[in-house]
Every structure is written in structure tokens, then in C-alpha cells.
Amino acid sequence: MDKHNLTKEYSNGEVTVVWQASKCSHSANCVKNLSAVFQPQTQPWIKMENASSAEIVSTVGKCPSGALSIK
Ligand code: SF4
């Protein structure tokens, strides 16, 4: 698979976070805002179980590149 077209989805049953690899500018805003959930060194890198849906939605909204969105 072409990594630049990679889209991944992560759900906690309530909200689904969509991550589009090609848009990610690796600013690490998400990591700084909510490090319990956004852990780029591990798999899966978004750990939905580690925060509330509200916290996750708020952090996704601060992604500067639009790589993260909520479905
Ligand atoms: S905040 Fe958005 S652009 Fe920055 S690392 Fe996270 S997903 Fe990538």
C-alpha cells in the first residue's frame, strides 16, 4: 500500500478518529495535547481507551493540518 494514501480509523464505540497520513505535518500538537492517547511510537498509535470522547474530539480539533478528523 502507498503510505501517502494511508487512512486509518480508530474508534471507542462512540466516536471514530480518522487519520490521513499524507496530511500529517508531524507537528505533534496531538501528542502534546493528549499524550495518553496519541503515542506515535507505539501501535496502534491512537489509543482511544485512554481518554474521554470529549477530550479526544477537542484534541482532534486542534490538529493544524487537518490530518485528524472525527467521523
Ligand atoms: S496534530 Fe495533526 S498534524 Fe500534528 S502530528 Fe498530530 S495528526 Fe499529525
Side-chain angles (χ1 to χ4, degrees), residues 14-61:
E14 228 173 59
V15 293
T16 299
V17 173
V18 181
W19 180 66
Q20 294 172 266
S22 62
K23 287 190 183 173
C24 180
S25 57
H26 304 284
S27 62
N29 281 29
C30 53
V31 179
K32 285 177 213 149
N33 278 308
L34 201 55
S35 60
V37 171
F38 297 94
Q39 300 186 358
Q41 309 308 330
T42 63
Q43 282 289 336
W45 84 275
I46 299 179
K47 301 203 169 2
M48 295 294 286
E49 68 276 18
N50 287 350
S52 69
S53 294
E55 288 174 298
I56 292 170
V57 168
S58 164
T59 297
V60 163

